[in-house]
Structure formats: C-alpha cells, structure tokens
Amino acid sequence: MSPQRSPALRPVGATVATVLALAAAGCGSGGSDTQSSAASARGADPATDKLAQVQARGTLILFTDPAYPPQSFAVKGAKRLATTKCAANEQTGPEMAGYDADTGKLVAMALGVEPCFVTPSWTEVTAGNWGDRWDLAYGSGAIEFSRMDVLYMTQPYYSTPANFFVPKASAARTPSDLAGQKVGACAGCTMEKYLRGTLELPGPKMEQLVENPRIVTFDTEVPGLAATAKAEIAAFLCSEPVGAEAIAKVGALRMLEPPAYYSYKTGYVDKKSGLAAGPFVARVNEIVTGLHADGTLKRLSIKYFGKDYATQAAKFYLSTIEQKVL
C-alpha cells in the first residue's frame, strides 16, 4: 500500500533562513539582470522558453490558496512590498506563508527572482492549460499518473499519508467500519479518486479499505472536515497534516489507522503553455533536491507541521515515472 521507497538523491546546497528572508523581501534588479544574462548566454528566448521567460520577467508566479494552513495562508498585517515587480492582482512574498508558500519562495530565491502569488481554483490548476497566468503550483498536489496528461511533475517536496477522520464520538475504529456510509473528500483530489477506486500512484497497487462508500465531495477540505465534526457525514479522507490542523482547531475529530495510502507531493508545471519547459523543470528539480539535501525542507516541515514529512520525499527517484519534458 505504501509507495515505492527509493535511494537518496544527490545534494545541492541552500540555507533556509537566508533564502527565506531574501525571498520575502523580493529580489533586486541586479539578480534579475544576472539571471537574464544567464538565459541569454545559453541562447534561450523568453518568448519560447519558460525558464528564460521567468528570469527575464524577474518574477516566479506561483499558485496558492490563502486559506489552507499550515500549507499556505495569508499573513495578517503583512504589507505589500513598495518595490515589488508583482502585478496588482498578485500577492507579494511577505503576504503569504506556509509550507507550500515558503517552498515556492525558496525556489524563486534560487532562481534569482521575486515570488508572486495568484489564487486560481485547484480545479483550474489540475486541468492544465494555464495560459502562462502562473508558472508553478505548490498546492500539496500528488504525483498522480492521470494528471501527467496535462502537467509535468517535479521533484516531490514532501510525502504524507492520507487518513480517514471521523467525529470524536464515532463508533468507527478502523476504516473498514465505514463501509456503506457517507465519506467525504475534496472534489477532484486524489482522495476522491481513491474512494472511487480510480487512483493511480507510483508504487504497489493500493488496497481499498472502505467498501461501497457513499461519496460526498467538497470544494476544499475545510468544509468537509467541518461537516464531519458535526457528524453530517461519517468520515472525511484527507492528508494527515490537514486533518491534524482541523483537530487542533476544532477538536471534535479523531484519525483512524491505518492510512488509506501515501502520496508524494509535487510541484506542477503546465504542459500546454506553448513554451519549452525542459530547462525550467530541470532547474526546479535541482533546487528542490538541494533543499532536501541540506535539510531545509525537513526544518520547514517541522516548523509548520511539527513533523518531518520531507525526508521520505527526498528519496523519490523522479526518473521512475516516465514523462517526456519538452
């Protein structure tokens, strides 16, 4: 049921405190000019090459959800940078935080550009065809084979179990006790696919722990977990840290063991932007590999989740999934 475990990858260095501080402040024009020169040196055209476009623009536009703590959330009282290159409809680095958001900031910093955040729906993200409205999506999305039709998967930045959460007073003690009952999941997420028996992840075939669930979908996990806490549905399936956050806030839930499955959380890049994505995906992979190797992502995971969800993701060989990056 657990996905494939792979040997560790080669390190590339970074320092979390320095990188995050600089990413939050935004990058000056000197860094952007240097990156643009580098793109020119390799003969890349910003009109046809995604990495060159990002470097020439001086910003990395990232998907975010401002109400998805601790993965991503709007920072109360944060001020928009006066010198920002972000567009008026984009949030600047200091305005967003969380494990997903900070990972995006670290990637932007390593690229020498400023992080900017936009908030399309998750359905828009997973559908592809972004029209270059954003460049990269860190939204705790899994490496999942059906999404590879429209999205490139990048080196995973953390890995979590997906568990069933039930009302505290529920009689259920294991997932099998939920057979035939109403079980919730976020619409279009891997959890809904698992309940429908259509989920395909790297690793061994998954076991279906709940027979004939009556599936109820929600736009996001937050209302689904709230409905579970009120016993409006029997259970909700989501990643462990999302459920743990709900327990910390609401307290009327508990988690069932064992997990339904484990997934590797990845960054998504649009396959159909019309720009060559190969150098961009390769550079993102190199950066994330380095953030694993020096312990940055592990420390970030402990900061936001109180637990190391990053180390296992560092051992994933991206080459084990076949994707031709153009």
Side-chain angles (χ1 to χ4, degrees), residues 156-169:
Y157 59 115
Y158 76 122
S159 176
T160 64
N163 290 77
F164 291 95
F165 290 82
V166 298
K168 206 166 186 180

Side-chain angles (χ1 to χ4, degrees), residues 143-165:
I143 291 179
E144 202 254 307
F145 291 122
S146 69
R147 290 178 180 166
M148 289 173 62
D149 292 339
V150 295
L151 300 169
Y152 293 121
M153 312 282 125
T154 61
Q155 179 62 37
Y157 59 115
Y158 76 122
S159 176
T160 64
N163 290 77
F164 291 95
F165 290 82

Side-chain angles (χ1 to χ4, degrees), residues 1 26 87 90 96 106 120-121 126 133 138 154 159 166 169 260 291 309 312:
M1 184 167 65
E90 298 168 355
M96 291 299 307
L106 290 163
S121 70
T126 57
R133 291 172 292 161
Y138 284 115
T154 61
S159 176
V166 298
L291 295 173
Y309 290 115
Q312 186 58 47

Side-chain angles (χ1 to χ4, degrees), residues 1-319:
M1 184 167 65
S2 177
Q4 183 172 336
R5 307 300 187 187
S6 307
L9 300 173
R10 292 177 297 176
V12 182
T15 303
V16 65
T18 302
V19 173
L20 273 178
L22 290 171
C27 300
S29 59
S32 178
D33 290 344
T34 301
Q35 294 294 347
S36 297
S37 298
S40 298
R42 66 182 179 86
D45 182 355
T48 59
D49 181 277
K50 171 55 72 176
L51 179 58
Q53 181 195 69
V54 168
Q55 292 173 334
R57 190 176 62 220
T59 62
L60 178 67
I61 305 174
L62 298 148
F63 158 83
T64 194
D65 181 344
Y68 192 46
Q71 287 83 352
S72 53
F73 54 90
V75 178
K76 293 182 180 179
K79 294 183 179 180
R80 185 177 180 83
L81 291 169
T83 58
T84 185
K85 294 181 180 179
C86 300
N89 65 338
E90 298 168 355
Q91 301 298 306
T92 63
E95 295 176 281
M96 291 299 307
Y99 188 79
D100 290 351
D102 283 6
T103 299
K105 291 181 190 181
L106 290 163
V107 171
M109 180 59 203
L111 290 171
V113 299
E114 180 184 357
C116 303
F117 295 92
V118 294
T119 58
S121 70
W122 186 240
T123 301
E124 289 177 279
V125 171
T126 57
N129 288 299
W130 298 348
D132 289 308
R133 291 172 292 161
W134 60 93
D135 307 306
L136 180 62
Y138 284 115
S140 296
I143 291 179
E144 202 254 307
F145 291 122
S146 69
R147 290 178 180 166
M148 289 173 62
D149 292 339
V150 295
L151 300 169
Y152 293 121
M153 312 282 125
T154 61
Q155 179 62 37
Y157 59 115
Y158 76 122
S159 176
T160 64
N163 290 77
F164 291 95
F165 290 82
V166 298
K168 206 166 186 180
S170 171
R173 291 293 176 265
T174 68
S176 62
D177 295 331
L178 302 171
Q181 298 186 56
K182 288 183 179 180
V183 179
C186 55
C189 295
T190 54
M191 293 78 179
E192 181 189 359
K193 293 180 180 181
Y194 171 85
L195 292 174
R196 297 190 186 283
T198 60
L199 180 60
E200 292 184 86
L201 298 177
K205 185 176 180 180
M206 286 169 289
E207 179 185 356
Q208 295 300 120
L209 300 183
V210 179
E211 292 186 6
N212 302 314
R214 293 155 59 196
I215 302 167
V216 182
T217 60
F218 297 81
D219 288 341
T220 67
E221 289 96 333
V222 173
L225 287 162
T228 308
K230 296 175 184 176
E232 293 172 358
I233 58 176
F236 191 83
L237 178 61
C238 64
S239 69
E240 181 182 85
V242 174
E245 177 74 5
I247 289 175
K249 286 187 173 181
V250 180
L253 297 163
R254 59 183 173 82
M255 186 177 77
L256 300 183
E257 293 282 3
Y261 61 92
Y262 292 79
S263 66
Y264 288 96
K265 311 300 187 182
T266 183
Y268 292 143
V269 177
D270 186 20
K271 274 189 173 182
K272 299 183 178 180
S273 73
L275 301 176
F280 178 68
V281 171
R283 183 68 181 115
V284 171
N285 290 340
E286 180 184 29
I287 292 166
V288 174
T289 298
L291 295 173
H292 278 304
D294 69 4
T296 295
L297 289 175
K298 176 181 177 179
R299 291 190 292 273
L300 206 61
S301 177
I302 293 171
K303 172 184 175 180
Y304 283 112
F305 302 124
K307 188 173 181 178
D308 175 16
Y309 290 115
T311 296
Q312 186 58 47
K315 300 175 183 179
F316 185 87
Y317 273 122
L318 196 62
S319 60

